[in-house]
Amino acid sequence: MFIKISADKTLNAISEEFSARFPYLKLKFFSATHAVGEESSLWDTLNMSLPISEVGSFDHEEVLEIHGDTLVSSMEQEFQRLFNIGVQVMRHDGQHWTQTTATDTWTLAQQNAEGQHTSV
């Protein structure tokens, strides 16, 4: 899948596009970046209705290529590198959403399958 990131695209729109491909996952954005395997503080959660150009470093439009075999950590680090904002892949776990920090080395397909398994 490809996600086109333009200056006026909201964080919510980015997350919704991502979730259309991976329905048991979503993206949550944070003002602070993080290391691989590190949890993000809820205090740093960004307003999902804001356009990406208002919350991060935005130089020009980007097109991100994301596939099922993409590692969670690779995708998160790429967002941080390009836009200087933190992003966490969140997995649906039954009744709630959880940060995938302990499983950052899993692929997006693995995370999505686990989310599907725990949501039945």
Side-chain angles (χ1 to χ4, degrees):
M1 80 175 291
F2 295 92
I3 299 179
K4 182 179 174 182
I5 312 282
S6 56
D8 61 342
K9 192 168 225 175
T10 66
L11 301 178
N12 192 53
I14 295 167
S15 184
E16 285 178 354
E17 255 184 83
F18 177 79
S19 294
R21 169 64 176 85
F22 302 103
Y24 297 95
L25 305 177
K26 71 177 181 178
L27 300 179
K28 193 166 190 174
F29 295 89
F30 300 87
S31 58
T33 59
H34 66 278
V36 174
E38 187 177 75
E39 208 169 281
S40 293
S41 170
L42 295 180
W43 292 106
D44 294 327
T45 302
L46 291 170
N47 181 332
M48 295 292 281
S49 67
L50 292 173
I52 195 164
S53 60
E54 287 187 26
V55 296
S57 302
F58 191 88
D59 294 331
H60 61 281
E61 189 173 280
E62 295 280 349
V63 177
L64 298 178
E65 187 172 357
I66 302 169
H67 299 284
D69 62 353
T70 301
L71 296 179
V72 168
S73 59
S74 298
M75 196 203 72
E76 291 175 350
Q77 295 296 306
E78 185 69 359
F79 260 95
Q80 291 180 173
R81 184 184 71 77
L82 291 171
F83 307 113
N84 197 33
I85 58 172
V87 64
Q88 287 282 0
V89 173
M90 308 290 288
R91 183 181 65 233
H92 194 255
D93 267 338
Q95 302 276 328
H96 64 281
W97 292 91
T98 185
Q99 293 185 34
T100 58
T101 53
T103 52
D104 270 354
T105 58
W106 288 14
T107 66
L108 294 171
Q110 287 173 296
Q111 292 285 3
N112 196 63
E114 180 68 14
Q116 182 178 18
H117 175 74
T118 60
S119 295
V120 279

